[in-house]
Amino acid sequence: MNSTKVEFSFKTDVLIIGSGLAGTRAAISVLENSANLNVSVLSFPVRFRGSSSFSDFTNGWGLQYPISDEDKSTMKKDIINVGKSYCDEKLVDVLVENAALRVRELFKWGVKFRKTEEGNLYRFKGCFSTNPRDILAYDMDNLKNVFKKILSDSRVEYFEGWLVINIAQKENLWVTTAINNKGITAHFVSKAVVISPGGGAGIYRYNLNYPYNMGHGYRLGAILGLKPENMEFVQYIFGVIYNEYVRFLLNQKVISAARKIYDPHGFAFMKRTFGNKYRELLSERMTHAPFSCSFNDHEVDLVLFKKSRDNDFGPLEIRLDELDEDNIEKDIFLRTWVKWFKKRCKSNSLNFSHCAHAFNGGFLIKPDAGTDKPGLFIAGELATGMHGADRVGGTMLLSCMVFGEIAGTSTVKYINSNSFAESNTIDRFILGTSESGTFFGKDEIKHLTKELMYSNWKYISIIRTRKGLRSYLKYLNSLESYIEGTGVREEELYDFYNLLSTCVTSKMITEAALKNNRTVGSHYIEDGK
């Protein structure tokens, strides 16, 4: 790869990488705890647009917090039991103990939550919960406007359209290298860094993320030598496939109301496969949105996935005029969703598939959101420990609020308790040189990225085998060597780093899956224990 020219350097006190909920809450926390620290936010897309937390694909937030002080212990047990021993209990304690306080902030700031006809807060059982403690913020415009208002007159400076390509600590200052979509490269020098760029569900063919979520944060962790944890646990839920791309979350109750489900060739197969167990399994499956092999109903997911796989991973089909009318009449949310779908898509045919939604794995943080690197904090989907093999519904966005706030507070404490060197010399970051003398073209980069997304769906999604994982890891190692040995021109850097991040993140998942021979939670290994 060729070298990159640094166009300018920018100094700040706190650099936040990512403008989703976790990064936004961290920025607010810095402002709340300091009157003079400067805050800069590097955002790959436009703020409040490209992150999973502000995604139009799901169009709302589900958050969970204890019903009462007595319910705190029950919520902790839920998280740990569902996590199947892969959670850090200290982080679970922090999450639950801070939950109510962080959610009440959203009330105070003006976030709208769904209410009952009597005007009370509507609570329901989130996935894998024993108590109805989930609440729903249903208006994405309202959510975005609330945070825009809080930060509109603040001293937070946004750099939109910048992708981080390297990060290093020089003396006790952090130097972060980023490029924008015009090929300009810049150094951002800061006293502390909060990394919260979201997850990597975008590396899969079918996903419920924007195309920006290609695992860039996991690549940064690899650069820093951080050890990934729980990477085999990726959450897959049902999504609508519209023009080959996932556009929005499927109301899973549509599946339970479907009298027939068709494969890509138009053959109905569910009743033929399950016989009298069909309705019983579907009824249990509809109690949780994510795929999990912790319940007997995972048989439904395996059959659906195999039918899709056997037909070149084409989406499955439900015909809305064949839905059980009694089911629709009983459920106002299902009835509203079906009406909305018909109006939006102008179709009676609904194509769907499992979709990668979020990562339970990432980098293990400390209770103060810190790492072993001084001045480096992590929040959001990139942080792990509070989640395990499965994740209780409503706790991902909750962890963004809780550990985003903690990361900002800890950052201020770290800066106030340390003195920092003045560094005016910055080593130029070298991308590398092309050993072969060949350079990537834009078409080749995009082809390789698309091929990886398809291969990830085949080898490291719902069904995995040890033989397949071993073979895939060899391929990923050779691909990584090819990527690192091939040149890239500045105008191709944006697409190149999408490819590199996809490859690095895919390797992390494959390696973690190979190490864990136990079928558990969202990690199903067909020839494992």
Side-chain angles (χ1 to χ4, degrees), residues 152-166:
S152 60
D153 297 322
S154 72
R155 57 183 183 277
V156 176
E157 185 167 9
Y158 282 88
F159 294 83
E160 296 174 340
W162 288 86
L163 173 62
V164 176
I165 60 176
N166 193 50

Side-chain angles (χ1 to χ4, degrees), residues 464-467 513 516-520 523-529:
R464 304 160 182 180
T465 66
R466 295 188 66 75
K467 181 180 178 180
N516 191 351
N517 195 33
R518 177 187 173 203
T519 287
V520 56
H523 173 52
Y524 179 82
I525 184 158
E526 199 167 38
D527 52 356
K529 296 178 181 178

Side-chain angles (χ1 to χ4, degrees), residues 27 77 88 111 119 124 127 150 167 180 191 225 251 260 285 290 304 319 328 335 369 379 385 417 420 422 464-465 481:
K77 287 177 183 176
D88 183 307
V111 172
F124 59 99
C127 301
I150 292 172
I167 185 168
N180 69 5
K191 297 172 182 176
N251 184 321
K260 294 180 180 179
R285 179 62 183 87
L304 292 175
R319 296 168 189 172
I328 295 176
R335 189 165 69 247
S417 60
F420 297 88
E422 283 294 328
R464 304 160 182 180
T465 66
S481 297

Side-chain angles (χ1 to χ4, degrees), residues 205-206 241 262-264 304-305 307-317 351-353 457:
R205 176 185 183 179
Y206 292 134
I241 310 300
Y262 298 89
D263 70 14
L304 292 175
F305 184 82
K307 280 293 180 183
S308 174
R309 181 188 64 188
D310 294 344
N311 292 277
D312 194 30
F313 289 109
L316 305 173
E317 181 190 7
N351 294 320
F352 74 100
S353 173
W457 200 243

Side-chain angles (χ1 to χ4, degrees), residues 218-360:
Y218 303 101
R219 178 176 52 79
L220 296 182
I223 290 171
L224 292 167
L226 302 179
K227 183 184 176 183
E229 301 274 355
N230 297 341
M231 287 296 289
E232 65 268 44
F233 302 122
V234 181
Q235 189 180 79
Y236 307 97
I237 57 179
F238 294 114
V240 174
I241 310 300
Y242 187 62
N243 290 340
E244 280 235 27
Y245 296 97
V246 174
R247 294 303 180 196
F248 43 87
L249 184 67
L250 172 66
N251 184 321
Q252 63 185 27
K253 292 181 180 179
V254 172
I255 296 177
S256 66
R259 291 193 175 96
K260 294 180 180 179
I261 297 177
Y262 298 89
D263 70 14
H265 291 298
F267 294 106
F269 62 90
M270 289 297 280
K271 287 186 179 178
R272 190 184 314 158
T273 303
F274 290 110
N276 294 332
K277 289 199 308 179
Y278 177 49
R279 284 296 164 194
E280 180 184 340
L281 284 171
L282 272 186
S283 178
E284 183 182 4
R285 179 62 183 87
M286 293 307 106
T287 63
H288 56 95
F291 160 71
S292 171
C293 51
S294 297
F295 305 91
N296 290 331
D297 61 48
H298 75 275
E299 293 179 45
V300 172
D301 297 84
L302 299 185
V303 167
L304 292 175
F305 184 82
K306 287 176 181 178
K307 280 293 180 183
S308 174
R309 181 188 64 188
D310 294 344
N311 292 277
D312 194 30
F313 289 109
L316 305 173
E317 181 190 7
I318 290 173
R319 296 168 189 172
L320 300 184
D321 58 358
E322 295 178 350
L323 294 181
D324 188 323
E325 292 296 334
D326 289 339
N327 278 14
I328 295 176
E329 198 59 36
K330 290 175 186 175
D331 194 313
I332 185 172
F333 297 124
L334 177 58
R335 189 165 69 247
T336 302
W337 192 94
V338 171
K339 183 178 179 181
W340 170 84
F341 173 85
K342 288 181 177 180
K343 182 179 180 181
R344 173 172 177 169
C345 296
K346 296 178 174 58
S347 174
N348 192 52
S349 178
L350 182 154
N351 294 320
F352 74 100
S353 173
H354 287 97
C355 304
H357 178 52
F359 285 28
N360 289 357

Side-chain angles (χ1 to χ4, degrees), residues 37-50:
L37 289 181
N38 294 314
V39 184
S40 301
V41 178
L42 280 177
S43 173
F44 187 32
V46 175
R47 76 193 91 163
F48 312 123
R49 171 60 184 167

